[in-house]
Amino acid sequence: HESGGPLHSSRASCCRNAMTMTSSSSGTGSASSLEVFCRSVALVGVAELFDKTWFMGLLLALRYRASTVFAGSVLALLLHTVLAAALGYAFAKLLSPFWLNIIAAAFFGVFTLLYAKDCYMDDPQGDAVEEGRKEAEADVDLGDGSDSEASTNPKASLTEKDQPSELMVFSKSFMAVFIAEWGDRTQIAMIGQHASQPLIPVFLGSAVAFTLLSFSAVAAATLLAGQKISSRLIHGLSAVCFLVFALLAIRDALAHKDDQ
């Protein structure tokens, strides 16, 4: 029995360690891959819907073939997702999961305040559709001599002689959307999400969200004509959603507190 004592103690210790590792990886404190995926879809969707980048795709779809604009927009946004994943992965190598989630929560908290400020400063009669369209128009150059009526009226189209090639439309869509998204709130939020959560579910969730958003922008080119949506409502809902994302990040940080 004396010789078996240390052996039994060692086995018991190994069992306890295994149970601890299992509970830490699959317990209630850690987010599942499906939860991370859904959270990433929601995060990107909330940050991007009715954003300047979204309206960029809508304006281009009003002028050119929708499928070509969709392809260029999706490719540009997927490239942003790859860049965010690479930067997030690099940050994940430098900091512990606890601090990564704390930083992500801080970013989401800042976005909550920014959207809350936008909501407070908005005109009660403000129209999110018109404001987003004007902001995108200020940045995009259709470069084909089209006037403002053509950019907002899907019935106004270029003559076949002046119609640019599909490659030109694809390139223009790609560059316009890529530049519009650079340094955007969504990009910063994605980097924080990629750094603090499992890489693959976040990447897939972000990619799915961007694909759906690009499709919705192209589809809305005609559906939103003449429609009015309260900008205060959009910013208010965005503030609430980012507050939820911040609280979820804090929860994940507390789940990893013992790992630092």
Side-chain angles (χ1 to χ4, degrees):
H1 288 290
E2 289 181 0
S3 60
L7 180 60
H8 284 294
S9 177
S10 176
R11 287 178 178 175
S13 177
C14 289
C15 289
R16 282 196 299 271
N17 291 336
M19 292 176 64
T20 301
M21 292 175 63
T22 303
S23 62
S24 65
S25 62
S26 60
T28 57
S30 298
S32 66
S33 295
L34 180 60
E35 180 184 344
V36 172
F37 172 85
C38 294
R39 194 191 304 180
S40 300
V41 171
L43 185 149
V44 173
V46 168
E48 200 67 17
L49 189 62
F50 295 109
D51 189 59
K52 178 176 65 176
T53 309
W54 188 82
F55 276 102
M56 195 74 71
L58 184 147
L59 287 175
L60 291 165
L62 285 170
R63 297 295 296 148
Y64 307 119
R65 181 175 295 179
S67 59
T68 307
V69 173
F70 173 77
S73 300
V74 167
L75 185 60
L77 294 173
L78 289 180
L79 180 55
H80 270 293
T81 306
V82 172
L83 293 174
L87 290 172
Y89 182 79
F91 281 121
K93 291 296 184 181
L94 299 175
L95 298 171
S96 67
F98 172 80
W99 286 111
L100 288 170
N101 280 287
I102 289 295
I103 293 173
F107 276 125
F108 297 154
V110 170
F111 294 151
T112 300
L113 295 176
L114 290 175
Y115 279 116
K117 174 179 173 291
D118 291 340
C119 178
Y120 177 77
M121 299 294 292
D122 276 338
D123 181 353
Q125 304 301 320
D127 182 9
V129 175
E130 186 62 25
E131 291 174 4
R133 176 179 287 148
K134 287 180 178 178
E135 185 179 3
E137 283 178 340
D139 287 350
V140 67
D141 178 17
L142 295 179
D144 50 22
S146 57
D147 54 21
S148 58
E149 178 187 2
S151 66
T152 56
N153 181 12
K155 300 298 183 181
S157 58
L158 298 172
T159 63
E160 186 173 348
K161 178 182 178 181
D162 297 329
Q163 189 74 31
S165 66
E166 293 300 306
L167 180 59
M168 181 66 71
V169 173
F170 176 85
S171 302
K172 187 177 295 185
S173 302
F174 175 87
M175 290 303 300
V177 172
F178 184 85
I179 293 172
E181 185 64 19
W182 190 262
D184 193 55
R185 294 178 188 178
T186 312
Q187 187 183 46
I188 299 173
M190 279 199 306
I191 293 173
Q193 187 78 340
H194 277 98
S196 60
Q197 299 295 332
L199 188 69
I200 294 179
V202 175
F203 179 85
L204 293 177
S206 301
V208 168
F210 273 136
T211 302
L212 293 176
L213 285 163
S214 297
F215 177 79
S216 68
V218 170
T222 54
L223 297 178
L224 285 181
Q227 299 298 316
K228 183 177 180 179
I229 301 175
S230 171
S231 56
R232 176 168 283 183
L233 174 63
I234 295 297
H235 288 140
L237 290 175
S238 298
V240 171
C241 290
F242 268 99
L243 177 60
V244 173
F245 297 146
L247 294 175
L248 290 173
I250 292 174
R251 185 203 68 174
D252 293 338
L254 294 177
H256 291 287
K257 188 175 182 179
D258 296 334
D259 298 341
Q260 38 173 351

